[in-house]
Amino acid sequence: MLLKVNHVYKSYGNKRVLFDNNLEVDHGEIHGLVGKNGAGKTTLVKIISGVLTDYEGDVLFNDKNINHLSVIERQQEGIYVVPQHAAIIPEFSIAENIFLGTWPRDRLGQVNWKELYENAAKALAEYGLSYDPAMKGKKLSLVEQRKLNIVRALFSKAKLVILDEPTTALSAEERDSLFDFIEELRKEGTSFILISHYLEEILKLCDTITVNRDGQCYTGYKKGEVDEETLSTLIVGKNIELSSRPEEERMKNKEPLLVCENISGKGMQGISFKAGKGEVLGLVGFPGSGARELARALSGLHPVSAGRIKLNGSEIPTPKNPAQAVRQRIIYVSYDRHKEGVVQLLSIKKNISLSILESSLKRMFGFIDERQEDKNAREYFEKLNILAASVNEAVGQLSGGNQQKVVLSKALSCQPEVLILDEPTVGIDVKSREEILALIHELTKVRGLSVLYLTNDYNELLRIADRLLFFDRGKVVTERANLNLTTDEVIRIRDEAKEGEAS
Ligand SMILES: Nc1ncnc2c1ncn2[C@@H]1O[C@H](COP(=O)(O)OP(=O)(O)OP(=O)(O)O)[C@@H](O)[C@H]1O
Ligand SMILES: [Mg+2]
């Protein structure tokens, strides 16, 4: 056995997180670790990798107890973690980032830069990444950073690579290429622990699965023994109901709320469309197609050079910054919560009320109405089932998925008229995903807000969207009502739109 976790217990203060956890990973095994947001997956991983040292129980690697070893020492033994949140050093080059801590040195201890850059180029090429090894890390997008982290783990000669939600925000194609890569390395004997909320990929890839529920490990489920439904029941502890938007809702003729005419700017070549009151519009397109550019432009995060926006029948100026967009009640939820989502050190309550401080929470004299702030935060805290002791807990102490829920709460409490959701369920567990979809449905129905929805998960998109807009070359090229559409058809229409470009 390569890894053994024996009777591990862990508490944060008096909050017990892990209770008698046991699991084993064999040589060349891909081991899935699943569980609800806040179940303790990342905590367990931190114990295995040595980031957390104050736990009870034993971690054995190659039959040796490694409890006393530090993170670096465990890395030298061959344990490597790709963390949930991309960890790269912005000012370092890509090459320096890939081989962080293991830069090749000559006999005098000087870094051999030539070798470093050559090795980096080789590593990147092998993974099919075409970045310049000399480019600064900070120039990479979120997805690129994530890939770089994975490459880094894979080329550090790890025996056990732990991937904490590696595929969030990756496209289906990028996912497949990552999985091929994992399979290759597994054949050479590398073992993996894979954490993911996408049960489909867990079931496809993993030989053995461990479910973490209420701090306890239920381990040893073998490939082929469980299906998606059983697995989600194991995770949640009971059956979950899939939320779906009723067909009559999708068919309804909705009066226009948001009208965009010829929006142009970088990556946008005259985007025109209407979004109805209470309508959920899915935006589909490859990166650079204009879909995300539009989403960010409407939110004041991407410059607009021409075009008109009408809201409720009257023209509004194109927002120059997010604050202006918020005042116009256009709210954006970014897929990159670490850059644009939450302030880690502030409490849940403060985070939720951050963007409404200017408006409803401020009384006439400029004080913040504490009671209102509390009430408001509590409403979403409860609606989205955020797992924390109270609304006063710091966001940085929450699990990844629960932080994402805070981001959503923050957006919803601004009382948006237009809500722009960019991968809103990234890192969200199976049950919470259904709750969020149901909440979006409810909000469009009751409050009549328009939703623009971006996601790589077309399955999810088809369950919530009324209509899909397909983007290419900075324009809307096709639109489809979401009636009897399948994910394969969405992919086909998207690819056809792209092919039209070549001819
Ligand atoms: N530094 C910390 N201080 C206090 N509590 C913490 C800290 N880090 C995590 N926790 C708590 O430990 C519990 C488990 O968190 P963990 O991050 O392991 O969950 P997870 O299973 O990885 O969830 P997710 O799927 O959302 O990433 C959560 O209740 C979380 O709030
Ligand atoms: Mg986690």
Side-chain angles (χ1 to χ4, degrees):
M1 216 32 86
L2 180 66
L3 174 81
K4 272 190 193 172
V5 171
N6 281 346
H7 305 294
V8 162
Y9 293 73
K10 165 75 193 160
S11 301
Y12 286 109
N14 54 14
K15 179 161 75 183
R16 194 175 68 184
V17 177
L18 300 180
F19 182 81
D20 196 15
N21 279 13
N22 298 285
L23 72 91
E24 297 188 344
V25 180
D26 211 342
H27 296 272
E29 173 181 321
I30 306 180
H31 194 108
L33 181 56
V34 294
K36 279 200 298 190
N37 296 130
K41 302 176 295 296
T42 300
T43 304
L44 184 59
V45 160
K46 284 183 176 164
I47 288 172
I48 296 170
S49 62
V51 173
L52 290 172
T53 48
D54 51 343
Y55 56 87
E56 284 169 59
D58 296 304
V59 181
L60 281 75
F61 197 64
N62 275 323
D63 299 320
K64 200 174 90 185
N65 192 314
I66 56 165
N67 274 354
H68 58 288
L69 298 187
S70 67
V71 176
I72 302 286
E73 288 164 333
R74 291 186 196 199
Q75 270 183 23
Q76 285 158 352
E77 294 287 320
I79 300 180
Y80 204 103
V81 181
V82 179
Q84 190 162 10
H85 308 301
I88 65 150
I89 300 184
E91 291 302 327
F92 276 12
S93 71
I94 290 186
E96 288 167 305
N97 265 296
I98 293 182
F99 297 108
L100 209 62
T102 58
W103 296 350
R105 289 176 193 274
D106 61 20
R107 268 177 302 142
L108 297 172
Q110 301 284 339
V111 175
N112 184 339
W113 294 107
K114 189 161 166 279
E115 196 183 325
L116 177 71
Y117 280 93
E118 278 171 10
N119 288 349
K122 239 192 306 187
L124 291 167
E126 194 158 329
Y127 191 44
L129 301 177
S130 52
Y131 319 139
D132 174 4
M135 190 168 88
K136 288 244 167 83
K138 65 179 174 196
K139 293 234 166 111
L140 296 176
S141 73
L142 184 78
V143 172
E144 289 168 336
Q145 289 184 20
R146 199 180 287 276
K147 283 185 171 175
L148 189 70
N149 265 298
I150 294 166
V151 172
R152 200 168 110 193
L154 299 175
F155 284 89
S156 58
K157 300 193 183 66
K159 296 194 186 88
L160 173 68
V161 181
I162 306 176
L163 302 165
D164 196 348
E165 297 190 37
T167 62
T168 49
L170 295 191
S171 72
E173 293 78 10
E174 289 168 330
R175 262 179 219 191
D176 286 344
S177 86
L178 172 65
F179 293 157
D180 288 347
F181 201 57
I182 292 177
E183 282 289 358
E184 292 278 295
L185 282 152
R186 179 254 279 280
K187 279 185 207 137
E188 292 164 23
T190 313
S191 304
F192 291 87
I193 294 179
L194 178 66
I195 298 179
S196 174
H197 293 293
Y198 296 101
L199 303 185
E200 207 186 312
E201 67 190 32
I202 289 282
L203 289 165
K204 198 165 107 192
L205 216 63
C206 299
D207 308 300
T208 312
I209 300 168
T210 294
V211 179
N212 197 321
R213 191 173 75 233
D214 300 332
Q216 273 177 291
C217 270
Y218 300 85
T219 192
Y221 297 101
K222 295 285 174 210
K223 191 173 199 144
E225 278 177 12
V226 279
D227 58 12
E228 201 166 329
E229 208 184 318
T230 322
L231 195 55
S232 42
T233 310
L234 283 167
I235 290 170
V236 178
K238 55 174 188 268
N239 272 329
I240 44 172
E241 247 173 71
L242 289 186
S243 135
S244 186
R245 208 159 151 86
E247 191 164 310
E248 67 268 16
E249 196 66 35
R250 282 188 246 150
M251 297 287 290
K252 248 187 222 160
N253 214 347
K254 296 164 182 120
E255 59 180 294
L257 175 77
L258 172 75
V259 179
C260 289
E261 288 170 10
N262 281 313
I263 306 283
S264 298
K266 194 165 170 258
M268 300 182 294
Q269 313 267 349
I271 297 173
S272 302
F273 69 94
K274 289 179 186 152
K277 244 189 179 85
E279 186 176 39
V280 182
L281 269 185
L283 313 188
V284 183
F286 287 103
S289 63
R292 178 164 283 142
E293 286 80 355
L294 170 76
R296 297 179 69 85
L298 290 175
S299 328
L301 288 160
H302 186 85
V304 174
S305 58
R308 302 202 308 165
I309 304 175
K310 278 192 221 156
L311 198 61
N312 273 323
S314 35
E315 188 163 343
I316 57 165
T318 50
K320 302 220 167 10
N321 51 53
Q324 195 183 353
V326 169
R327 279 198 295 277
Q328 286 159 348
R329 300 245 181 278
I330 301 176
I331 313 289
Y332 177 66
V333 174
S334 168
Y335 66 104
D336 188 351
R337 65 171 164 261
H338 279 264
K339 223 154 128 198
E340 295 165 350
V342 290
V343 184
Q344 300 275 324
L345 289 176
L346 289 181
S347 69
I348 298 171
K349 181 165 89 182
K350 291 287 174 207
N351 264 290
I352 293 179
S353 54
L354 262 185
S355 42
I356 38 170
L357 285 183
E358 276 201 43
S359 49
S360 45
L361 287 181
K362 247 186 195 175
R363 276 217 205 119
M364 271 187 337
F365 309 108
F367 294 115
I368 292 166
D369 186 337
E370 293 262 356
R371 250 197 16 229
Q372 188 60 31
E373 183 184 33
D374 211 71
K375 183 168 159 262
N376 177 60
R378 228 171 268 281
E379 178 185 344
Y380 290 98
F381 184 72
E382 277 155 23
K383 255 198 187 128
L384 289 174
N385 282 319
I386 297 173
L387 188 77
S390 79
V391 290
N392 298 314
E393 196 163 338
V395 165
Q397 294 192 354
L398 300 183
S399 77
N402 282 295
Q403 292 189 14
Q404 180 65 4
K405 293 185 190 177
V406 175
V407 176
L408 272 171
S409 306
K410 187 177 145 187
L412 295 175
S413 62
C414 296
Q415 310 269 357
E417 285 209 67
V418 177
L419 181 63
I420 304 175
L421 300 171
D422 195 346
E423 297 285 359
T425 64
V426 154
I428 297 272
D429 69 46
V430 278
K431 180 157 179 279
S432 306
R433 184 195 314 251
E434 298 312 315
E435 288 164 0
I436 287 169
L437 292 180
L439 182 65
I440 294 167
H441 171 60
E442 168 96 15
L443 287 169
T444 54
K445 216 169 130 183
V446 177
R447 283 208 219 147
L449 51 93
S450 294
V451 177
L452 306 187
Y453 205 102
L454 285 99
T455 177
N456 278 317
D457 188 338
Y458 297 148
N459 193 346
E460 178 176 312
L461 192 63
L462 288 176
R463 290 207 283 129
I464 188 74
D466 301 321
R467 201 153 49 99
L468 303 186
L469 302 181
F470 292 83
F471 285 75
D472 190 46
R473 289 155 286 161
K475 274 199 180 110
V476 177
V477 281
T478 315
E479 78 164 74
R480 284 293 162 88
N482 180 13
L483 289 171
N484 311 315
L485 275 179
T486 62
T487 50
D488 285 343
E489 271 169 291
V490 173
I491 292 170
R492 187 178 54 78
I493 300 169
R494 180 200 65 184
D495 291 353
E496 272 176 14
K498 178 90 182 157
E499 272 158 26
E501 180 181 4
S503 59

